[in-house]
Amino acid sequence: MGVMLTDEWMKKDFNRPIKMMERLKSTFNNNLDVEMIYHYLLKHGMYSPNKKTKLTWEHLKENNAWEKTQSLFTSYNKLWGGPDVPIYIFPLMSSGMWNKKVEMKSGLAFKDKLFLFYDKGIAEKEMEAVLIHEYHHVCRLHHLKKDQKEFTLLDTMIMEGLAERTVGKYLGTKYLAKWTKLYQEDKLREFWSKYLQEKHTIKRTDPLHDVLLLGMKGYPNMLGYCSGYYLVRKSEKLSVKKSFSIQSEEFLPKKN
């Protein structure tokens, strides 16, 4: 499948993104309506129609973002032997005066599809970084014999950590997400014992899951993401293919 022609969709419906969601409805296997799908994607970086995002779309077309992403996906799909899933590319949300974006891209992965959101001026290596991260999620979801409703906070943390570790393996530290560098190791050890050691088994459906993962409501920023990367980054001998199926519990800190 690979990259879908969302650039063609936007020729007709750029200003009507909810209308475009009708093309996606059949790929969601639950009772989500088109408004719910759009608002879910908005939370993860999808654009709202305005002058800035229209310019972003035009810039992405001029710079062959769809063709470049397809070439990258073909390479990693073959290299990893991963599933052939549809990829939907859209402009990234615009940043206002009080909402400065740090990253040039965002993404959202499911077992059977992935979404990529690009900003204007994104370099090909940045496209590669987000594709590696999100496609790693797809491959891990494909290999883990676990319903996503049963995922624990630890599962999500390790999922994020392994995906970003893989970015570093292929592209080097320059292309790691900014959140990988927020805290020193001693601070992350402290966070683990203070906030996560007793809570890592909570389920994805627990409201506290996202609070801890993202570091909201007074918790350290990006707590779960940073801690997941901290737990996996020293696994030097772990191959990329093994990282698709290794159990999250393998990365729990050893008790003294």
Side-chain angles (χ1 to χ4, degrees), residues 9 16 33 39 44 98 113 137-138 180-181 198 250:
W9 299 5
R16 300 188 300 170
D33 61 31
H39 287 292
H44 292 272
W98 310 112
K113 56 185 168 289
H137 286 345
V138 172
T180 61
K181 306 175 182 76
E198 304 300 322
E250 295 285 326

Side-chain angles (χ1 to χ4, degrees), residues 14-251:
F14 182 87
N15 291 316
R16 300 188 300 170
I18 291 177
K19 179 74 174 172
M20 283 193 290
M21 297 302 101
E22 292 175 4
R23 298 171 182 258
L24 295 169
K25 196 172 189 309
S26 64
T27 73
F28 287 87
N29 297 324
N30 48 31
N31 297 320
L32 289 179
D33 61 31
V34 287
E35 287 87 359
M36 292 166 73
I37 293 169
Y38 179 55
H39 287 292
Y40 187 68
L41 296 180
L42 274 176
K43 281 172 56 180
H44 292 272
M46 183 158 173
Y47 80 97
S48 297
N50 58 46
K51 286 183 180 179
K52 278 189 178 179
T53 53
K54 189 80 173 280
L55 284 172
T56 299
W57 169 50
E58 291 168 355
H59 186 273
L60 293 173
K61 283 193 300 178
E62 288 167 11
N63 285 273
N64 303 313
W66 280 261
E67 292 83 356
K68 288 174 181 176
T69 304
Q70 179 60 54
S71 177
L72 290 167
F73 176 67
T74 299
S75 297
Y76 282 100
N77 176 243
K78 183 177 180 182
L79 183 64
W80 295 350
D84 185 13
V85 296
I87 299 172
Y88 303 95
I89 300 171
F90 293 103
L92 186 67
M93 68 177 78
S94 61
S95 54
M97 189 180 295
W98 310 112
N99 176 29
K100 298 277 191 283
K101 287 200 302 287
V102 178
E103 301 285 357
M104 296 289 290
K105 74 279 184 191
S106 184
L108 178 63
F110 297 85
K111 186 176 181 178
D112 58 351
K113 56 185 168 289
L114 68 87
F115 294 84
L116 300 173
F117 308 111
Y118 294 154
D119 200 2
K120 185 174 71 171
I122 186 171
E124 192 166 344
K125 284 291 184 187
E126 293 281 1
M127 292 182 191
E128 187 170 0
V130 69
L131 176 74
I132 289 171
H133 184 103
E134 300 300 334
Y135 190 49
H136 189 284
H137 286 345
V138 172
C139 293
R140 186 158 168 80
L141 289 169
H142 189 75
H143 281 83
L144 289 178
K145 308 301 181 190
K146 193 170 191 176
D147 190 294
Q148 282 185 257
K149 289 179 182 175
E150 294 302 310
F151 269 42
T152 63
L153 176 60
L154 180 67
D155 288 326
T156 310
M157 287 166 49
I158 296 303
M159 177 92 67
E160 296 297 341
L162 287 171
E164 203 58 24
R165 173 186 176 273
T166 307
V167 173
K169 184 179 179 70
Y170 285 104
L171 301 181
T173 57
K174 179 181 178 182
Y175 292 98
L176 289 174
K178 305 289 190 297
W179 51 261
T180 61
K181 306 175 182 76
L182 283 177
Y183 308 108
Q184 298 295 323
E185 191 168 322
D186 58 342
K187 186 59 72 173
L188 289 163
R189 276 199 299 270
E190 178 190 323
F191 290 166
W192 173 262
S193 58
K194 187 174 181 181
Y195 303 119
L196 298 169
Q197 193 166 352
E198 304 300 322
K199 301 273 193 341
H200 69 80
T201 57
I202 65 171
K203 293 289 174 64
R204 195 174 190 169
T205 50
D206 189 315
L208 189 58
H209 176 283
D210 286 0
V211 171
L212 291 171
L213 183 69
L214 297 167
M216 300 185 290
K217 298 184 178 179
Y219 288 100
N221 184 36
M222 298 298 277
L223 172 63
Y225 277 79
C226 299
S227 300
Y229 183 67
Y230 160 66
L231 291 174
V232 309
R233 67 183 175 188
K234 292 186 176 178
S235 307
E236 294 173 8
K237 294 180 181 177
L238 180 67
S239 70
V240 172
K241 288 192 176 180
K242 178 67 175 172
S243 74
F244 298 148
S245 57
I246 190 170
Q247 295 300 302
S248 305
E249 289 74 18
E250 295 285 326
F251 298 99

